[in-house]
Amino acid sequence: MTDSALPMTVADSATRAPRKLVLDEKRVRSRYAAERRFRAYGIAAIAFGLFFLAWLFITLILQGYGSLQQSKMRLDVTLDAATLAPGGQVDENALRAADYTALLRTALRTTLGVGSDRGERREAYALLSNGADNELRSRVLADPSLIGKTVSVWVSAAADVDTLIKGQISRDLPENQRRLNNRQIAWTDKLVADGRLEKRFNTALFVNGASSDPEQAGMGVAIIGSLYMMLVVLLTALPVGVAAAVYLEEFAQRNRWTDLIEVNINNLAAVPSIVFGLLGLAIFLNFFGMPRSAPVVGGLVLALMTLPVVIIATRASIKAVPPSIREAALGVGASKMQVITHHVVPLALPGILTGTIIGMARALGETAPLLLIGMVAFVVAAPATPFDPATALPVQIYMWAGAPERAFVERTSAAILILLVFLIIMNAAAVVLRRRFERRW
Amino acid sequence: MNTIAMKPVSVTNDVMPSNRSPKVVSRGVKVFYGEKEALHGVDLDIHEREVTALIGPSGCGKSTFLRCMNRMNDVVEGCRIEGKIAIDGDDIYDKRIDVVQLRARVGMVFQKPNPFPKSIYENVAYGPRIHGIAQGKEELDEIVETSLNRAGLWNEVKDRLDKPGTGLSGGQQQRLCIARAIAVSPEVILMDEPCSALDPIATAKIEELIDELRENFTIVIVTHSMQQAARVSQRTAFFHLGDLVEVGDTSQIFTNPKEERTQAYITGRFG
Amino acid sequence: MPAEHLVKRFDDELEKLDASISEMGGLAESQLAMALAALRERNSETAERVMKADNRVDELDRAVQNQVIRLLALRQPMANDLRLIVTSIKIASALERIADYAKNVAKRSLQIQTLTTPPLALNGVDRLGRLVQGLLKDVLDALSSKDDARARAVWKRDADIDDVYHSLVRELLTYMMEDARTISACTQLMFMAKNIERIGDHATNIAELLLFRWTGEEVVEERPRGTS
């Protein structure tokens, strides 16, 4: 250490006047102002993002909350034994096949006081939902003892009535531009005044499958389809991904081949999802001949898409386990397998779970690959197994968004909200699981 | 004739060292990291039930040699070992040797205390469990208690065996690691600078523990502190730049070493 | 291997220790020389100076002891450093005793000034004194030049000193038997001779300590004794 290496100010500081600590220097002030500005930029950026997020949610909620209610009308239906149980026998097949529409229409005519004029009758029947007979059918099948009685049932009104009641169409338009004419509107108002027409909770939205009648359309099939797909993704991508990552990280030698594999996995995570759809089409549908539109196929395609994400997350988590833990386990005489299964993977679990759930959340919202494998079908009945046809939530949203009826607008917003709620739940689950499994080392 | 008959100073010691039989015998041990030769042919005998200290400046190869004795160098990529290391006559680098069994016979304590992120009980019970040493829960409990007792930790933790091991102080954690190592009843315990991360009181407790342990175990300790080597060991080996320069009784090494390099290192003339 | 410690201050402290010992050695030499001169020339002033100067030697002995304790506590010396430091205490002790004996010789030389002294007796003591002076000088030279051959030579010469001492004692006895008036003076001279012989012994001790300091081994042989 020679003195020439020391800065001159060290020698001078003994003779120089002591530096002031009071903040009246211009440089200090401008530095503080710069820091304040920087903080303000950050807050502005966050506010910008939050603003758009809030706009999205508010718009969706305002547009969609109406779909939670469906206009239904109360009719006193005579469950005519002759129609439902001919010959005095209560036969399930006969009950299923019976003409409930006729019963409902009879009740409607009575309520509205409609005569025999065909035109008038047609207009009156238009107030009733096309699927109202299903609602009555399920009621009777559930309780056959009602046959022969006159019961008061709430059945769905037609979508046009519904939109009128919700004020979504204007009454001021000239008659020939409206879907309901003046007489129909007068009937509607009368039913409302009599307390026979009101908005009730729309269970159909959550339970039913696809339907061309908006009042009967529901996300039930889509929700179940998405759930089956997520299940398939979880059961496929998680074990395969973790096993692949463990092998690559712990056992594989570091050579050109493994480097190549690593590069490819990283790239696969960024491949557009529609490519996976093409892959699924070629392999699962064409080569293996699996059923079209089945959640199994959709799940497998999405699993392929999620696999790189799981592998990358697992590798990162395994790398983060400190080598001191491995050494400690090896020092006590654990074999390589025991080190991995008893120590490394449990400590890497929070990261693995987080990566998996985030990958699954992304898969939940993917539409493009599902379109290619045909999950865009019009499925009415809920799938009993993952091999039965179904749709997925994002696909359902896509289909409703393209439908012409006015009533589908609010239902589309509702479906988007449901999808967002699922995504939020999954991310929250990721956070909770991570906290639970986190262990300090 | 200008010579006078002289003899080396005799030092009384309560335990006479090195008339014990050699437990670990190393001959011509060389270690290569890739192309670089880190240890150039070490011949060293470790005697049973005494403490042998390995001293030397940084990078001299003492830790490398230590880790050869339980084959921890096997997990380092590109590490190659030549020569022979025999424990009780069996060459531990023989192809038929099961490394897992070897590491149960030769335990290790590391520089930074590294208890598993599990409970204190589980930390100590893990080794016996995976080696199938205990025949049932009672026997396992007994092993845990004995090991913690031997490590001087039982009284401090007996009421909180289910609390995480990482919640203890540094000195306690290191004693827990020692308990974990002795729970599998090894014959040799290797210690790689076990006190370098601890305060002086914790260090003194561990040194006392080492002194008690040497009645039952053969101990090899790598240390940067010559005072610690002088306090704790009966034999000392000095390494420098990958060579074993000198090995001998601790009192002789520190009062009258034979090699000039040894003397220069221990008196602080280089390092 | 480098001769200096990595911590330079340690070397400085060892140098200081060396300097203290050197000063003590120089003082011991000059004390002995002056005491013998006082005896030869019957010079009371010189004798008084010797007695006063002994305080400085005691002071240095205490200083060396404190330095050694401090070095042991703060530097944890090992091997050759440890031997150097520990032997320093004993060497200082030996030098302090040498200076003390020199002081005794000076004190007694004052006392025989008034007594009837056979001149040959005085010469005998003086001759013994010169021999021991030579021994002391040689061992102090060996100390400063780290010459172990010289130290060994000193160790062996103690036998010669013993011989001269014993013949001197016999000589003084004859003088006392011949002339009773010289008994007081000769007794004093005998004590002085004994003191000078002890100085020689201590010088030999220093030589042994130096050999231990440099080799780490202790002397096995019996110290050669002169024939009695």
Side-chain angles (χ1 to χ4, degrees):
Chain A
M1 275 206 303
T2 60
D3 284 325
S4 59
L6 293 170
M8 289 312 291
T9 49
V10 174
D12 292 345
S13 66
T15 51
R16 208 176 47 190
R19 288 223 285 264
K20 284 189 279 190
L21 292 175
V22 181
L23 308 170
D24 58 358
E25 295 187 14
K26 218 163 69 145
R27 209 173 24 200
V28 174
R29 260 181 291 150
S30 73
R31 191 181 76 217
Y32 276 18
E35 279 177 24
R36 272 196 298 271
R37 268 202 307 276
F38 192 71
R39 268 211 299 272
Y41 295 151
I43 293 175
I46 294 178
F48 189 71
L50 282 178
F51 169 68
F52 278 103
L53 192 63
W55 194 353
L56 169 71
F57 270 99
I58 291 174
T59 313
L60 284 174
I61 290 173
L62 285 178
Q63 277 185 338
Y65 81 93
S67 67
L68 287 176
Q69 293 189 314
Q70 169 64 35
S71 299
K72 299 200 183 196
M73 62 173 83
R74 180 163 54 88
L75 296 174
D76 304 316
V77 181
T78 306
L79 295 169
D80 181 25
T83 321
L84 295 175
Q89 296 279 56
V90 176
D91 176 30
E92 201 173 312
N93 287 335
L95 280 179
R96 280 187 200 279
D99 186 2
Y100 292 93
T101 311
L103 294 175
L104 285 169
R105 286 178 174 177
T106 310
L108 184 60
R109 283 201 311 275
T110 317
T111 312
L112 293 176
V114 170
S116 54
D117 178 56
R118 277 192 115 78
E120 202 188 349
R121 283 191 177 188
R122 244 202 320 275
E123 284 175 16
Y125 297 159
L127 294 180
L128 199 54
S129 166
N130 291 338
D133 61 331
N134 292 331
E135 296 173 28
L136 184 58
R137 182 179 295 118
S138 12
R139 186 88 191 272
V140 171
L141 279 172
D143 188 8
S145 68
L146 295 170
I147 299 175
K149 303 197 188 107
T150 303
V151 287
S152 201
V153 296
W154 285 94
V155 290
S156 300
D160 295 327
V161 172
D162 190 43
T163 44
L164 180 72
I165 301 244
K166 288 175 180 170
Q168 287 166 3
I169 54 179
S170 166
R171 292 178 181 235
D172 300 330
L173 287 171
E175 197 174 1
N176 52 9
Q177 286 181 14
R178 276 185 262 129
R179 296 193 37 107
L180 294 177
N181 61 22
N182 293 339
R183 187 158 51 178
Q184 285 169 317
I185 290 180
W187 277 334
T188 308
D189 293 337
K190 178 172 177 294
L191 285 171
V192 171
D194 289 344
R196 282 187 173 274
L197 184 60
E198 58 182 36
K199 290 186 283 185
R200 313 197 86 193
F201 185 70
N202 188 2
T203 46
L205 182 66
F206 297 99
V207 169
N208 287 8
S211 169
S212 37
D213 298 321
E215 70 275 9
Q216 296 293 336
M219 296 183 279
V221 171
I223 290 177
I224 296 179
S226 279
L227 276 173
Y228 278 147
M229 283 199 299
M230 287 302 107
L231 202 62
V232 171
V233 168
L234 184 65
L235 291 175
T236 317
L238 184 59
V240 173
V242 171
V246 166
Y247 176 78
L248 284 171
E249 199 55 39
E250 297 284 338
F251 294 97
Q253 291 179 339
R254 302 258 177 278
N255 55 26
R256 257 185 321 158
W257 297 112
T258 50
D259 286 343
L260 195 66
I261 291 175
E262 182 166 349
V263 167
N264 279 323
I265 290 175
N266 287 339
N267 286 340
L268 274 173
V271 162
S273 53
I274 198 158
V275 174
F276 286 98
L278 285 167
L279 180 68
L281 180 64
I283 294 184
F284 298 125
L285 293 182
N286 290 345
F287 188 75
F288 282 115
M290 294 178 94
R292 215 179 180 80
S293 288
V296 145
V297 180
L300 285 173
V301 168
L302 292 176
L304 285 177
M305 214 178 72
T306 314
L307 205 55
V309 174
V310 174
I311 293 178
I312 291 171
T314 308
R315 280 192 88 169
S317 307
I318 290 178
K319 277 202 186 96
V321 174
S324 59
I325 302 281
R326 285 173 213 259
E327 291 212 312
L330 284 172
V332 161
S335 67
K336 188 153 186 176
M337 277 309 299
Q338 286 168 327
V339 172
I340 294 173
T341 50
H342 293 169
H343 296 102
V344 175
V345 170
L347 283 175
L349 209 52
I352 296 175
L353 285 176
T354 306
T356 307
I357 291 179
I358 288 178
M360 277 171 62
R362 178 181 159 212
L364 181 64
E366 283 292 342
T367 321
L370 302 178
L371 297 180
L372 281 181
I373 59 158
M375 286 195 78
V376 76
F378 193 88
V379 180
V380 177
T385 70
F387 289 89
D388 297 326
T391 66
L393 264 173
V395 174
Q396 186 73 76
I397 293 171
Y398 166 70
M399 291 197 292
W400 279 356
E405 281 87 355
R406 189 60 196 264
F408 274 122
V409 170
E410 61 180 13
R411 281 164 175 81
T412 310
S413 299
I416 294 175
L417 275 174
I418 299 290
L419 181 61
L420 286 175
V421 165
F422 276 138
L423 288 171
I424 291 175
I425 290 177
M426 286 178 83
N427 279 302
V431 170
V432 164
L433 279 173
R434 187 192 187 89
R435 285 254 181 84
R436 247 208 91 206
F437 283 105
E438 189 114 64
R439 273 185 262 195
R440 272 175 303 126
W441 52 64
Chain B
M1 265 289 267
N2 197 9
T3 52
I4 305 176
M6 301 179 82
K7 74 163 171 57
V9 175
S10 73
V11 188
T12 54
N13 214 343
D14 51 341
V15 178
M16 274 310 289
S18 72
N19 53 3
R20 298 181 189 274
S21 51
K23 180 88 176 164
V24 182
V25 173
S26 312
R27 293 284 176 265
V29 174
K30 295 189 187 179
V31 177
F32 296 86
Y33 288 116
E35 290 307 315
K36 180 168 169 289
E37 189 173 337
L39 267 185
H40 321 302
V42 171
D43 298 334
L44 181 61
D45 289 354
I46 310 286
H47 298 259
E48 61 169 354
R49 280 180 285 125
E50 69 179 17
V51 181
T52 305
L54 309 181
I55 62 171
S58 294
C60 64
K62 51 192 194 296
S63 282
T64 307
F65 180 70
L66 188 79
R67 291 163 65 99
C68 285
M69 288 193 269
N70 69 347
R71 292 184 63 169
M72 283 295 271
N73 281 333
D74 287 5
V75 304
V76 176
E77 281 210 32
C79 187
R80 189 167 48 94
I81 289 129
E82 283 174 21
K84 186 163 134 72
I85 300 183
I87 298 185
D88 286 339
D90 302 319
D91 182 7
I92 65 176
Y93 281 93
D94 194 275
K95 299 247 188 308
R96 292 165 295 172
I97 291 283
D98 177 19
V99 172
V100 165
Q101 286 303 314
L102 171 68
R103 295 196 187 127
R105 282 178 72 193
V106 182
M108 193 162 210
V109 177
F110 298 87
Q111 185 172 345
K112 187 167 169 300
N114 54 5
F116 298 132
K118 303 180 191 225
S119 69
I120 294 173
Y121 182 91
E122 270 311 304
N123 260 284
V124 185
Y126 180 73
R129 196 177 271 140
I130 59 173
H131 290 290
I133 291 177
Q135 299 310 346
K137 178 124 194 336
E138 270 173 27
E139 206 178 318
L140 195 59
D141 287 349
E142 215 181 287
I143 292 179
V144 169
E145 184 173 338
T146 312
S147 307
L148 285 170
N149 246 323
R150 274 216 180 122
L153 199 56
W154 176 250
N155 284 328
E156 291 169 49
V157 300
K158 62 177 187 261
D159 299 324
R160 45 178 175 140
L161 289 175
D162 56 339
K163 295 281 183 296
T166 44
L168 299 170
S169 76
Q172 288 172 321
Q173 279 187 19
Q174 194 64 303
R175 274 181 283 155
L176 178 62
C177 292
I178 293 176
R180 177 178 70 189
I182 62 183
V184 294
S185 302
E187 294 153 39
V188 180
I189 302 179
L190 306 174
M191 300 194 177
D192 194 350
E193 298 189 42
C195 301
S196 60
L198 304 177
D199 65 84
I201 303 291
T203 299
K205 286 192 185 162
I206 302 252
E207 287 180 9
E208 171 63 21
L209 177 58
I210 291 175
D211 205 42
E212 285 167 19
L213 287 175
R214 75 174 161 98
E215 288 172 32
N216 296 310
F217 303 96
T218 304
I219 299 181
V220 185
I221 176 169
V222 164
T223 178
H224 264 148
S225 160
M226 281 173 287
Q227 283 75 34
Q228 180 171 79
R231 287 191 294 264
V232 158
S233 67
Q234 284 75 56
R235 275 176 78 72
T236 300
F238 171 58
F239 284 77
H240 182 228
L241 295 177
D243 287 312
L244 172 61
V245 174
E246 188 176 345
V247 61
D249 290 343
T250 297
S251 39
Q252 180 253 312
I253 292 276
F254 286 106
T255 54
N256 193 11
K258 296 199 184 78
E259 295 288 327
E260 190 53 46
R261 271 195 286 178
T262 315
Q263 177 147 273
Y265 176 69
I266 65 177
T267 55
R269 284 179 164 81
F270 84 93
Chain C
M1 289 292 115
E4 290 168 341
H5 291 92
L6 291 169
V7 180
K8 296 284 178 291
R9 208 171 279 275
F10 189 14
D11 283 319
D12 296 341
E13 290 174 4
L14 288 178
E15 256 179 51
K16 245 178 59 182
L17 185 63
D18 252 350
S20 303
I21 303 271
S22 286
E23 199 186 327
M24 282 184 85
L27 275 175
E29 266 194 289
S30 68
Q31 291 287 75
L32 180 57
M34 284 204 291
L36 291 174
L39 175 64
R40 223 181 300 128
E41 300 153 16
R42 291 171 174 269
N43 190 335
S44 346
E45 208 188 292
T46 316
E48 298 279 344
R49 279 223 310 268
V50 170
M51 282 155 57
K52 274 216 206 49
D54 192 54
N55 288 337
R56 175 75 185 135
V57 180
D58 290 342
E59 227 177 74
L60 281 170
D61 184 36
R62 278 194 302 275
V64 164
Q65 181 169 284
N66 288 337
Q67 279 176 27
V68 165
I69 289 178
R70 193 172 174 280
L71 281 167
L72 287 174
L74 300 185
R75 298 286 172 190
Q76 289 97 42
M78 299 278 199
N80 54 357
D81 289 343
L82 180 62
R83 297 195 305 265
L84 184 139
I85 290 169
V86 167
T87 51
S88 295
I89 285 199
K90 292 195 117 179
I91 291 175
S93 216
L95 289 172
E96 192 269 330
R97 297 304 301 137
I98 290 174
D100 242 5
Y101 287 135
K103 183 184 80 182
N104 283 350
V105 167
K107 213 159 69 174
R108 290 188 197 281
S109 77
L110 276 179
Q111 286 168 349
I112 64 164
Q113 275 178 14
T114 50
L115 302 171
T116 323
T117 317
L120 283 178
L122 263 182
N123 288 347
V125 173
D126 192 51
R127 207 171 59 240
L128 180 66
R130 275 190 232 271
L131 269 177
V132 169
Q133 256 184 309
L135 199 71
L136 181 60
K137 177 180 178 307
D138 279 345
V139 90
L140 290 175
D141 280 346
L143 165 65
S144 60
S145 60
K146 301 200 191 359
D147 186 349
D148 57 302
R150 213 174 242 198
R152 282 198 198 92
V154 163
W155 189 80
K156 293 199 183 194
R157 266 167 39 210
D158 195 43
D160 305 338
I161 309 280
D162 282 346
D163 286 340
V164 175
Y165 167 70
H166 285 125
S167 69
L168 179 61
V169 165
R170 284 194 293 272
E171 204 184 307
L172 289 171
L173 281 174
T174 29
Y175 293 149
M176 284 198 277
M177 286 194 291
E178 280 172 5
D179 187 349
R181 288 171 301 164
T182 60
I183 288 182
S184 313
C186 286
T187 329
Q188 291 293 356
L189 286 171
M190 257 208 294
F191 284 134
M192 281 192 260
K194 184 68 196 163
N195 285 344
I196 294 171
E197 190 267 335
R198 294 297 297 134
I199 290 179
D201 262 349
H202 279 297
T204 312
N205 285 349
I206 294 178
E208 262 184 34
L209 286 167
L210 287 176
L211 287 174
F212 173 69
R213 174 191 277 195
W214 294 324
T215 66
E217 298 178 341
E218 44 185 30
V219 174
V220 173
E221 268 183 53
E222 281 275 339
R223 197 183 286 199
R225 296 244 166 271
T227 50
S228 188

